[in-house]
Amino acid sequence: MKTIAAALSLILALGPAAMAAAPQRVLYQGTLRRSGALFTGNAAFTFRVTDASGGTQYWTSGSTVVAVNSGLFRYPLGITNTGADGGFPSVSWASIDPYVEVTVDGTVLSPREPMVSVPYALYNLNIANVNKYGDSMIGPLT
């Protein structure tokens, strides 16, 4: 019983903090092959958020070493190669059609991949203009 109470207390204490703000990172995952075989090791990656042509850059990770295991890698877009938050909040997401470009050891991989919404973002889009007053809400609900 004490364990359940402690767990519930922790959830209640951390719940508001966990929901206070939208994450400023997007996890990118992929598979890397070299000469047709799944690669294992470290590689120098650069991740960029660009337009469809790659001509306009909205964000970059800079060059960063990423561990690849049996071809699988992942990297949290939104941080720089120093590990610091890297400017995602300043990207004007509503006015661009973003794509992810990946460079590995100096070779730009293709095609660039479009960034698409996830349920969390779609949920926020639907409640962005809703205001809570007391026990009622006003605003467009869809």
Side-chain angles (χ1 to χ4, degrees):
M1 186 63 148
K2 287 182 182 181
T3 305
I4 294 172
L8 183 57
S9 296
L10 183 62
I11 290 169
L12 292 174
L14 294 179
M19 294 186 291
Q24 296 299 309
R25 297 179 183 133
V26 176
L27 187 61
Y28 183 87
Q29 301 178 85
T31 303
L32 181 61
R33 295 176 183 270
R34 293 223 169 131
S35 302
L38 295 173
F39 176 75
T40 295
N42 293 329
F45 281 73
T46 300
F47 299 91
R48 295 189 332 134
V49 176
T50 69
D51 62 3
S53 71
T56 301
Q57 174 179 292
Y58 306 113
W59 175 86
T60 184
S61 66
S63 181
T64 186
V65 175
V66 176
V68 183
N69 188 4
S70 299
L72 301 176
F73 68 89
R74 64 184 185 170
Y75 185 81
L77 303 179
I79 63 171
T80 65
N81 57 352
T82 64
D85 283 335
F88 255 22
S90 65
V91 175
S92 180
W93 297 106
S95 64
I96 64 171
D97 188 19
Y99 283 72
V100 176
E101 178 184 276
V102 180
T103 302
V104 180
D105 293 334
T107 301
V108 177
L109 306 182
S110 64
R112 286 177 197 86
E113 298 181 61
M115 294 182 77
V116 296
S117 294
V118 296
Y120 186 89
L122 295 176
Y123 171 76
N124 278 342
L125 179 65
N126 287 333
I127 65 166
N129 296 319
V130 175
N131 298 310
K132 185 174 186 317
Y133 294 98
D135 292 331
S136 61
M137 290 185 173
I138 59 171
L141 295 175
T142 57

